[in-house]
Amino acid sequence: MSGQFPVRISPAFYNGYGYANSVLYGELLLYFPALLRIIGFKLTTSYNLFAIAVNILTSFGTYYCFSRMTKNAGAAAAATVLYVLAPYRLLDLYVRAAVGEYCAMIFLPFVIYGLFRIYTEDPGQKEYKWCFLPLTIGMSGIIQTHVLTGEMTVLLILTFCVLLFLFTFQKKRFLALIKAACFTVLLNLWFLVPFADFYLTQNLKIAVTSGTDLIQDTGIFLPQLLGMLAIFSRVHLVASEGIQDEMMLYLGISLVLGVILCGVMVLVTGKEENSKRRQAGILVVMACLSSWMATVYFPWDRLCTMFYRYAEQITKVITSIQFMWRFLAPATALSAAATGLSLALLRKKEGALPFAAAALCLCMITGIGGMYTMYFTFNGTSLMDMDDLDDVNTANYVGGGEYVIVGSSYQAATEIFEPRSYNGVSVDEYEKQGTNITLTVTADSVDGYVLLPLYNYKGYHVESADGLITNSCLVTGEGKVMQLNIPAGYSGTITISYRGLWYWKVADIVSVLTIIALLGLLYRDRRRSAPGTPAKDRT
């Protein structure tokens, strides 16, 4: 519709005035349902197929990561079941429809597996040079789906690195962490550069309003970590409202039992499995820490105020998460990983029967809770039939409008859909497709201007056939809409389209070249390592 690729300003919101959700919220995975919609699928069908694809990706990705961590297919399968059917993931998927957050949960196991490889593999082995790749994939996926999950994940990674500082600052391990960070930035530069540009220069609502209220009170209570069955009727706002009829903001009893089992195995496993004990112990610590962070008992408010010189900056970072119970996402992934490792240790120490009994019990508890959740979701809620966005007023479907420019006129977006001309300027022809506008204007003997039905985000490009109308004629008018200044006596056709900034395109190229370079290096390394490769080709 608008000729943008990648999409930056969505024309679907605010009645075509445009909304910068694509600049500030990763939407890479949404190109799949968008393609389904383009080729003719209904909106609801496209979304449902997308949700199915997410479930498949989560299942296979989680099993891939956990099987390589545990070296035990059964333990990995059980941990995957616990993760995929975890209460918080089902809440995101089927109740909150938190698309970004449940998509980010595809990649959390890759982050855990990536750190696991960096800290547990022998740096002297040839394969170690690629151990940064799972962490890079995981962080890239999270950045492209849910920035807030990325913020929480970075905080937990930094905590992890500090806890294991003796390993962190070993030369090759530290280099692997640096490689993961650098490649993550380079791969996502095409998204990060526009994101930073808008956040720092566009005076957006999200930048102005965040960091004003302390949010420790948005955590959950200890009993909620142990929840199993979903009975709810409202959204959790503050702790003072209690937990009656609350959303299923649970870690889940099966994952709690899995973490306890992991702690027990750390204590009873002999010295012959010392490395596995340390790995399991770290996962227990990180699972408990992230779970604590999701509760009202973690001192978030104290952290916001204890460093007086940097209190404002720290508060802004912490409160941008909005709800402390969001930490249930990484807590779920870490707890599932800890459970998988504990089951692998149990299998090795006690044999097949105790392992099978523990894995079956945990999976049954999770399965019962998951089935009840699905039953309640599909039978205990009201049905809303919505075949297409054309059936609703999309001006209202932008959540809190976090990405609008402060001072934007909502009234204009709901009432004014045509250009408005001033000071003797007449609009003779006008056509709008998405964020593209073509208009023919005639001006009197004085300078005039036209207000156009687009919010004036930076990145729009203006041109005319005679070259007299350029980007310099484009300014922000009343209500933050686009104002096109027309010089006295001008007559001609003008086109406006969204093209972004030149340095965004440089970032695009860098990301593409990084992908090509990584694939090329991987191919060359695989070819050199293949059996039968001549010695001269390995040099």
Side-chain angles (χ1 to χ4, degrees), residues 52-122:
I52 291 170
V54 168
N55 279 329
I56 293 172
L57 286 173
T58 305
S59 300
F60 281 95
T62 302
Y63 179 78
Y64 171 84
C65 295
F66 289 173
S67 63
R68 279 155 177 76
M69 291 174 63
T70 62
K71 307 297 183 185
N72 185 296
T80 300
V81 170
L82 265 60
Y83 184 64
V84 172
L85 298 181
Y88 187 73
R89 203 186 85 86
L90 295 182
L91 171 75
D92 276 352
L93 189 62
Y94 296 114
V95 180
R96 294 180 60 221
V99 176
E101 199 163 350
Y102 71 64
C103 285
M105 292 186 77
I106 298 172
F107 301 99
L108 285 171
F110 285 89
V111 174
I112 297 170
Y113 173 50
L115 289 170
F116 186 88
R117 284 195 63 182
I118 291 172
Y119 280 85
T120 63
E121 289 188 2
D122 181 3

Side-chain angles (χ1 to χ4, degrees), residues 136-301:
T136 298
I137 293 171
M139 286 306 303
S140 296
I142 291 172
I143 289 170
Q144 294 298 332
T145 52
H146 196 240
V147 173
L148 294 183
T149 299
E151 184 179 331
M152 293 185 291
T153 304
V154 169
L155 177 60
L156 289 169
I157 289 175
L158 291 175
T159 303
F160 180 87
C161 293
V162 170
L163 288 175
L164 297 180
F165 69 95
L166 292 177
F167 292 90
T168 299
F169 292 104
Q170 291 177 359
K171 182 178 179 181
K172 289 190 176 181
R173 299 193 198 280
F174 187 72
L175 180 60
L177 290 169
I178 295 298
K179 286 165 66 176
C182 290
F183 275 107
T184 297
V185 171
L186 292 174
L187 285 171
N188 297 280
L189 207 62
W190 70 275
F191 172 76
L192 295 174
V193 168
F195 177 95
D197 194 10
F198 262 50
Y199 193 85
L200 296 174
T201 67
Q202 283 290 273
N203 195 30
L204 302 174
K205 179 181 176 182
I206 189 173
V208 173
T209 58
S210 63
T212 56
D213 297 316
L214 300 178
I215 56 175
Q216 182 174 331
D217 204 31
T218 63
I220 61 174
F221 294 98
L222 181 61
Q224 289 176 283
L225 291 175
L226 307 174
M228 177 179 170
L229 302 179
I231 302 176
F232 64 92
S233 63
R234 61 188 175 89
V235 176
H236 182 94
L237 295 176
V238 292
S240 59
E241 297 182 3
I243 60 176
Q244 184 179 6
D245 296 329
E246 181 54 273
M247 287 194 303
M248 50 182 183
L249 296 170
Y250 311 150
L251 180 62
I253 184 63
S254 55
L255 286 174
V256 172
L257 291 174
V259 173
I260 293 173
L261 175 63
C262 193
V264 171
M265 294 310 300
V266 170
L267 295 176
V268 303
T269 301
K271 293 183 178 179
E272 67 278 3
E273 294 292 336
N274 220 21
S275 62
K276 290 294 183 183
R277 289 178 61 201
R278 287 197 298 269
Q279 296 161 15
I282 288 296
L283 283 173
V284 168
V285 170
M286 293 304 299
C288 292
L289 177 62
S290 54
S291 300
W292 182 26
M293 287 177 166
T295 69
V296 294
Y297 313 113
F298 192 85
W300 289 112
D301 290 357

Side-chain angles (χ1 to χ4, degrees), residues 126-127 523-538:
K126 182 180 178 180
E127 296 79 10
Y523 173 77
R524 187 183 69 174
D525 196 60
R526 289 283 182 89
R527 190 178 177 203
R528 287 179 175 179
S529 302
T533 303
K536 64 179 182 180
D537 292 339
R538 299 183 189 178

Side-chain angles (χ1 to χ4, degrees), residues 189 193-194 197 201 458 500-508:
L189 207 62
V193 168
D197 194 10
T201 67
K458 69 191 302 183
L501 288 303
W502 67 267
Y503 46 92
W504 295 12
K505 301 184 189 306
V506 173
D508 295 345

Side-chain angles (χ1 to χ4, degrees), residues 86 97 113 219 234 241 247 255 281 302 334 355 383 398 400 464 484 488 514:
Y113 173 50
R234 61 188 175 89
E241 297 182 3
M247 287 194 303
L255 286 174
R302 177 60 178 161
L334 287 162
F355 160 77
L383 175 68
V398 289
S464 61
L484 184 63
T514 302

